[in-house]
Amino acid sequence: MHVPDGFLDAPTSVATGVVAAAAVGVALRGARRELDDRTAPLAGLVAAFVFATQMLNFPVASGTSGHLLGGALAAVLVGPFTGLLCMATVFLVQCLLFADGGITALGTNIDLMGVLTVAVGWSVFKALQLVLPKRLSMVAPAAGVAALVSVPAAALGFVGLYAVGGTADLSLDHLATAMVGVHLLIGIGEAAITTLAVGSIVAVRPDLVHGARRVLETRELVVRAPAQAQA
Amino acid sequence: MRTRTLAVVVLLVALVLAGVVSRFASSDPDGLTKVSENHGFAGTGTTHHSVLGGYDSLSGVIGVLLVLALAGGLTYALRRRRRDDERV
């Protein structure tokens, strides 16, 4: 969903750039609370994984492909603030070295595929944690649903920006229908990859998964009597 | 699993995805590109020169390592150090 230069007019691009810079500023402060000696090593790896996975376009419908965005994945694994820093790094490298996403559109891309997917993904994940049983086995599926929702949300975000500063005169209804339709399909792929990736880390090191902290904290310490004592 | 082992495994997975699996990625236009073609505004987009060319195995691996260095360095610098916690 990388937006190239030229889709949005200059004032809108400046505004999205300001919003992106402010969001990264907030994330730089927030990430200090999420990162410690134990969890910090994982953060850079999550960014590297998101970059690699964004190269893997999978087919979704007639002649159309999509790839993981990764905001929900990053938020659940390393926390929303750190997750946004990971996403912003990915978009910066893609824009400057691979011409993937426009230079004036860098703020737009950070806002849509970073800020929006992290915010929506993390909110949906937290809401699901309130209603689902507090079990480790629920973390990965909740992350998957959050990922599914985050992709069409980013697509709608693009339509919103296009309504404000799109450079072509289009029917916004048609644009919204087309964008949400195809990105729901991409969201299914996003959900599958996110569930698999989060599930893998939860299986081996749940203590390193930011989104599993509450579950681990609320686990009661059960003192089990040795088998012989019961006999 | 030790943190270091996990880190090595995740890095290897990322490198294999970028260096090998990416060869099998779909080359069809992505969702936004396709919609812009169907709705007649693809032509309004412009593209700038790519320093590393397109995505291929080598540039993908370089990208993974560069993102790891940048994001890893940043988050490592931001982390709360153990000594800070003890002082509180």
Side-chain angles (χ1 to χ4, degrees), chain B:
Chain B
M1 192 185 278
R2 288 170 57 200
T3 306
R4 184 173 296 177
T5 312
L6 176 66
V8 170
V9 170
V10 174
L11 177 60
L12 283 178
V13 169
L15 289 173
V16 168
L17 291 178
V20 182
V21 182
S22 63
R23 288 166 172 271
F24 304 98
S26 166
S27 53
D28 284 334
D30 74 3
L32 175 61
T33 309
K34 186 73 176 179
V35 168
S36 72
E37 289 169 2
N38 289 347
H39 288 72
F41 66 100
T44 61
T46 58
T47 174
H48 59 278
H49 174 70
S50 168
V51 179
L52 284 179
Y55 290 107
D56 58 36
S57 294
L58 178 62
S59 68
V61 166
I62 293 172
V64 165
L65 295 175
L66 190 62
V67 168
L68 174 66
L70 288 175
L74 176 66
T75 51
Y76 200 69
L78 286 174
R79 80 195 191 281
R80 283 185 316 236
R81 288 162 183 80
R82 205 156 284 152
R83 206 182 294 155
D84 291 351
D85 288 347
E86 286 168 0
R87 232 186 278 145
V88 174

Side-chain angles (χ1 to χ4, degrees), chain A residues 54-146:
Chain A
Q54 287 205 355
M55 288 176 67
L56 309 179
N57 281 64
F58 48 83
V60 284
S62 57
T64 311
S65 71
H67 60 68
L68 178 93
L69 297 182
L73 169 72
V76 172
L77 284 180
V78 292
F81 296 111
T82 310
L84 177 58
L85 296 181
C86 292
M87 300 300 292
T89 307
V90 169
F91 301 131
L92 183 73
V93 169
Q94 288 172 333
C95 163
L96 294 182
L97 295 184
F98 292 90
D100 194 8
I103 292 178
T104 63
L106 178 59
T108 301
N109 284 317
I110 291 176
D111 290 342
L112 292 177
M113 296 188 290
V115 179
L116 248 181
T117 60
V118 165
V120 171
W122 184 247
S123 305
V124 171
F125 178 78
K126 293 297 282 181
L128 285 172
Q129 277 202 321
L130 290 178
V131 295
L132 288 171
K134 288 180 184 41
R135 289 198 206 109
L136 270 183
S137 58
M138 293 292 144
V139 173
V145 175

